[in-house]
Amino acid sequence: MIKLQAGDKENLDIWNECVAFSMQDFERTYKVLDIHYDIQCGESFYHDRLPGVVERLLKGGIAEISEGAVVVFFRDVPELADKPLIIRKRDGGFNYATTDIATIDYRVNDLKADAIWYVVGAPQTLHFKQIFEIGRREGYRADLCHIVFGNVLGEDRKLMKTRSGENVPLRELLEEACRRARKIIDEKNPDLGEDEKNDIAATIGIGAVKYADLLQYRTTDYIFSWDKMLSLHGNTAPYLQNAYVRIRSIFRKAGNPPLKIGRLIFADAAEINLAKRLCQFAEIVPQVLNGFRPNILANYLFELANSFHTFYEACPVLKSEEPARSSRLALCDLTARVLQRGLDLLGIKVPERM
């Protein structure tokens, strides 16, 4: 590690080859998840900055030499008073703490970030408290926030593992989700073409995994269940996607006419309830950032889908007379748009058919 951090050519060549292989594999998974990055800076990106970080903290009196290592003490912070942080080891090597301080420097000074959010598991809570305290001592005013999350458990309520006891690779899990979704599509809509089945299976399978995770309060552990997350009933992505598909089916049957709305008329209680639910969307979205809770949006979309299904059962749309017909079509259209937009905010797509 010391040779690598010092720029030794042989070590760097091996490292760069490993990074290239890793990034290729990461990119395949990112593509499946439809995730795109503007900037990707691995740990090695900061190697040249690490000596400067240590020297700056020593010069500023934030760090000091203790038993041959460079250490930051937090004597004036009660919860950290007995938890010093090493930023350079006695052998001259740097560690994750040094790199994380360098990342804050880069993001604040080079990228001009005013907010830096770390989505990392709860076991790193102490680490980030120490890093953020150093950032504050250096005078950084950016919003530094550690967003913790819970664990995914197997049906035995222990950390999810393969049968051999290994961690479950994300890409394998996503591929299995698509296979299971494809099986459901084969059973329910066998007349669709192969390409369309595969596209729909990917939309449903990937969406199901994302939604099952985002549905939970982010610090809550949850039990992973294929049957539950792929169900067309209950609080699942397929249930929400099915509501959107049902609305699109209504418009296909109507010949996709342009909406002509003079004024909206709501007489039935189900219409009024759906209209009120739609009006809540603008209030719900900003709440997601209060405590970083995408589950608020997920639960709202579930309630919206429930309201739509109640409306659909109680209020004929295409068979109703004007002006009720146009009003109900408008409600359907807006419901579909909110479902699509809301799921898109969660990183989930919607199919036109299922």
Side-chain angles (χ1 to χ4, degrees), residues 7-75:
D8 177 76
K9 184 180 185 306
E10 182 181 1
N11 279 268
L12 276 176
D13 289 343
I14 296 172
W15 173 263
N16 287 328
E17 188 172 356
C18 290
V19 168
F21 282 127
S22 297
M23 291 305 298
Q24 288 176 13
D25 195 63
F26 294 159
E27 288 298 332
R28 285 196 290 270
T29 303
Y30 295 152
K31 184 176 180 180
V32 172
L33 290 168
D34 194 28
I35 291 175
H36 309 277
Y37 288 94
D38 295 320
I39 299 173
Q40 294 187 60
C41 297
E43 185 180 357
S44 59
F45 174 82
Y46 300 98
H47 280 173
D48 293 342
R49 299 169 179 257
L50 303 185
V53 167
V54 174
E55 293 305 316
R56 186 181 72 244
L57 293 180
L58 282 170
K59 185 176 180 180
I62 296 174
E64 58 189 79
I65 295 176
S66 176
E67 298 182 15
V70 178
V71 184
V72 176
F73 290 92
F74 307 95
R75 300 180 180 92

Side-chain angles (χ1 to χ4, degrees), residues 243 247 266 268-281 300-313 315 317 327-336 338-339:
I247 296 171
F266 304 137
D268 191 281
E271 291 176 298
I272 297 171
N273 181 63
L274 179 57
K276 288 181 177 178
R277 190 76 69 190
L278 287 165
C279 290
Q280 294 171 352
F281 183 58
Y300 163 76
L301 294 174
F302 174 60
E303 293 171 356
L304 175 62
N306 281 338
S307 295
F308 170 74
H309 285 300
T310 300
F311 157 80
Y312 183 79
E313 295 297 328
C315 304
V317 178
S327 287
R328 290 173 181 177
L329 280 171
L331 270 181
C332 289
D333 177 66
L334 185 55
T335 301
V338 170
L339 284 171

